[in-house]
Amino acid sequence: MTQATNQSWGGRFSEPTDAFVAAFTASIAFDKRLYHHDIRGSVAHATMLARVGVLTDAERDRIIDGLGEIEAEIERGEIEWSVALEDIHMNIEARLTDKIGVTGKKLHTGRSRNDQIATDIRLYLRDEIDAVAAELTRLRSGLIDLAEAEADTIMPGFTHLQTAQPVTFGHHLLAWQEMLARDHERLLDCRKRANVLPLGAAALAGTTYPIDRHVTAELLGFDRPAENSLDAVSDRDFAIEFTAFASILLMHMSRMSEEMVLWASAQFDFVDLPDRFCTGSSIMPQKKNPDVPELVRGKTGRVYGHLMSLLTLMKSQPLAYNKDNQEDKEPLFDTLDTVKGCLRAFADMAPALKAKPESMFEAARRGFSTATDLADYLVRAGVAFRDAHEIVGKAVAFGIEQGRDLSEMTLDELKQFSDAIGDDVFEVLTLEGSVAARNHIGGTAPDQVRAAANRARDALNALQESRHGA
Ligand code: ARG
């Protein structure tokens, strides 16, 4: 089983590559998605080569026109990818040489596939990061709007999944928003380190041609050329960083998912997920399943897996480029597809969450969620906190026995636990009083939630403006 030797390196070989080996080592099946960025990199490279006199202007123009035609052919689905040509770089170069003859063979002057692929992935990832950032912005902004609308909606807050203290639904949504704000920062930070130009490193040591890497960097919108040629062809930190960002983001989204799944259950009954984000059961007619959050929760696992793949891929690799690096693409691409899909689903769904305020309120009332407020009340009346804790504990035990919340007891009943309790106690035992009293930055008081929503919106807008200025 043999086949024609790949002509771009066949000169040294005395027998053709085994057909299975050719297929085994080829990456065209998955790196073809880099075609646009590969061509973009080649156009910049040819432009730079002409600027420094390595190509004539006429050669540059022929190359650029040819590449433009090839891009159109690819987009029309006319190109047949060849496994014998291994990867996207050689498929495009071979097509260029078919089209424009010997000039096509000059494109690779002063370049190697090692710096070429490193450049392609960075260019591609940069565009994808911008697309991810746009979806993240849409999700954050939907959550901020919903939080503002639900600033007065009272629900139980939990610790250990046990009713703890009342909070507002808006406050809870803004907690999600904070997680995503940190993820957004991590994403933009990763973009900075991805936005560096490997091209010019050539195979590993640089090139003997009088190249100008600042020109290429500028043409491609990179902040600067990578400092060291060995590092430039071998570094895949940016892919690991992106996948780490994605893992943390999906960890957050899995927590949001879990809460949505719980809240949409008959047992909690806190929210209604719009039907368009749910599916039914083929056997149980009553079912409405929260598939979207469940699936996002599930997809978190595959992204963690990709992070582990990439870390392990790079572990112990000697400098500089190794063929191992070809294995960076599938985990990175799947991470991108997964993150974009999850964000899109959430950006559509989260703002459409319908709170069920009565049901949330009832749940908060049932769980002795104002017990801490009673303790704080006693402290204000001069009781030491530890004693107050003990007193309220006894009152709660009595409430459990009686099947009544603290706010449902009479003043006399409450007074049997402490003389310090007066008839103003009911103000702190109501859920509204409890949330309103947490009136400081970061607290759950409705006024604070509205102010926090405004600050979050301003911060998001400022981030957008700084990105567009960049
Ligand atoms: N397909 C390769 C990759 O994805 C491109 C670089 C190959 N370089 C080489 N010398 N074989 O990493």
Side-chain angles (χ1 to χ4, degrees), residues 27 31 86-87 89 113-114 117 321 323 325-326 329:
S27 54
D31 67 14
E86 227 179 292
D87 55 27
H89 323 301
R113 282 184 295 152
N114 297 351
I117 186 62
Y321 177 87
K323 184 75 169 180
N325 285 8
Q326 182 165 294
K329 280 160 216 64

Side-chain angles (χ1 to χ4, degrees), residues 136 139 176 180 183 246-261 273 277 289-304 335 337-350:
L136 199 45
L139 172 56
W176 289 356
L180 299 176
D183 292 328
S247 297
I248 299 175
L249 170 70
L250 274 169
M251 176 271 289
H252 285 146
M253 291 176 74
S254 76
R255 299 182 69 180
M256 295 162 65
S257 297
E258 175 73 6
E259 293 187 328
M260 286 186 223
V261 170
L273 291 177
F277 300 110
N289 297 327
D291 287 42
V292 169
E294 287 176 272
L295 201 52
V296 168
R297 191 174 60 184
K299 282 180 186 290
T300 306
R302 71 196 276 159
V303 171
Y304 288 5
T335 299
D337 295 344
T338 304
V339 164
K340 283 196 295 182
C342 292
L343 279 174
R344 181 181 166 168
F346 263 38
D348 290 345
M349 185 181 68

Side-chain angles (χ1 to χ4, degrees), residues 352-363:
L353 275 181
K354 283 263 164 299
K356 295 182 157 179
E358 297 79 26
S359 179
M360 287 179 169
F361 193 89
E362 251 325 287

Side-chain angles (χ1 to χ4, degrees), residues 73-291:
E73 288 169 10
I74 296 170
E75 266 151 21
R76 289 195 300 267
E78 289 167 12
I79 294 259
E80 261 193 48
W81 301 113
S82 153
V83 168
L85 289 168
E86 227 179 292
D87 55 27
I88 185 67
H89 323 301
M90 294 201 289
N91 269 270
I92 289 177
E93 193 187 308
R95 180 74 192 118
L96 183 67
T97 305
D98 278 354
K99 287 176 89 74
I100 67 169
V102 70
T103 308
K105 297 185 180 178
K106 295 189 175 179
L107 170 61
H108 212 53
T109 312
R111 182 174 83 169
S112 154
R113 282 184 295 152
N114 297 351
D115 58 345
Q116 188 178 359
I117 186 62
T119 302
D120 289 6
I121 314 171
R122 285 173 188 261
L123 281 174
Y124 177 80
L125 181 60
R126 193 179 68 189
D127 281 350
E128 292 288 291
I129 285 175
D130 293 344
V132 170
E135 286 295 47
L136 199 45
T137 300
R138 200 161 69 85
L139 172 56
R140 287 179 63 192
S141 130
L143 286 173
I144 295 167
D145 291 348
L146 184 60
E148 190 168 47
E150 302 288 356
D152 292 293
T153 309
I154 290 174
M155 68 183 283
F158 299 91
T159 60
H160 312 269
L161 203 58
Q162 309 291 314
T163 299
Q165 293 173 352
V167 295
T168 62
F169 185 41
H171 195 53
H172 197 114
L173 294 168
L174 286 181
W176 289 356
Q177 198 292 130
E178 282 301 307
M179 302 173 180
L180 299 176
R182 291 192 294 276
D183 292 328
H184 205 154
E185 281 179 28
R186 267 185 281 274
L187 176 68
L188 298 182
D189 204 51
C190 161
R191 190 188 192 280
K192 284 186 218 155
R193 278 177 292 279
N195 201 29
V196 173
L197 172 79
L199 218 55
L204 76 166
T207 175
T208 56
Y209 298 95
I211 58 169
D212 188 338
R213 301 182 66 215
H214 289 287
V215 168
T216 320
E218 201 185 318
L219 289 169
L220 292 173
F222 283 118
D223 292 333
R224 59 183 172 84
E227 197 59 46
N228 179 291
S229 65
L230 294 166
D231 180 51
V233 291
S234 79
D235 169 32
R236 294 293 182 273
D237 295 3
F238 58 92
I240 297 177
E241 259 190 275
F242 178 82
T243 311
F245 144 81
S247 297
I248 299 175
L249 170 70
L250 274 169
M251 176 271 289
H252 285 146
M253 291 176 74
S254 76
R255 299 182 69 180
M256 295 162 65
S257 297
E258 175 73 6
E259 293 187 328
M260 286 186 223
V261 170
L262 287 172
W263 293 348
S265 69
Q267 287 67 25
F268 276 78
D269 196 32
F270 286 0
V271 298
D272 201 24
L273 291 177
D275 286 358
R276 63 183 181 282
F277 300 110
C278 298
T279 61
S281 157
S282 54
I283 173 168
M284 297 167 283
Q286 86 282 12
K287 289 294 286 291
K288 175 174 151 184
N289 297 327
D291 287 42

